[in-house]
Amino acid sequence: MKTFQTAALKDGHAAFLVGRDFAVVPVGDDTIRELEPSDLAFLTCDPDFAVPSGYETRPGAVEGCVLTDYVPSD
């Protein structure tokens, strides 16, 4: 996952839903909402991304990336 997150960090604004050792790139807001109740975390390395209060965040495997239970809509 560290290699994957390093690549996401280089992209800058990439965002994914991730599990322990896989990533999902859902297409469309309906798909994102259907996956939201799963245990997948939202991974972003966007320096401008802000998580609203009330959601959990934790650092990614690479500095500059975060994982959260907040999934923004399109």
Side-chain angles (χ1 to χ4, degrees), residues 22-56:
F22 67 94
V24 176
V25 182
V27 177
D29 198 53
D30 289 342
T31 305
I32 292 168
R33 295 299 145 222
E34 289 173 9
L35 290 169
E36 197 169 14
S38 71
D39 288 335
L40 297 175
F42 182 74
L43 166 72
T44 184
C45 302
D46 181 346
D48 299 323
F49 183 75
V51 177
S53 64
Y55 291 94
E56 295 180 22

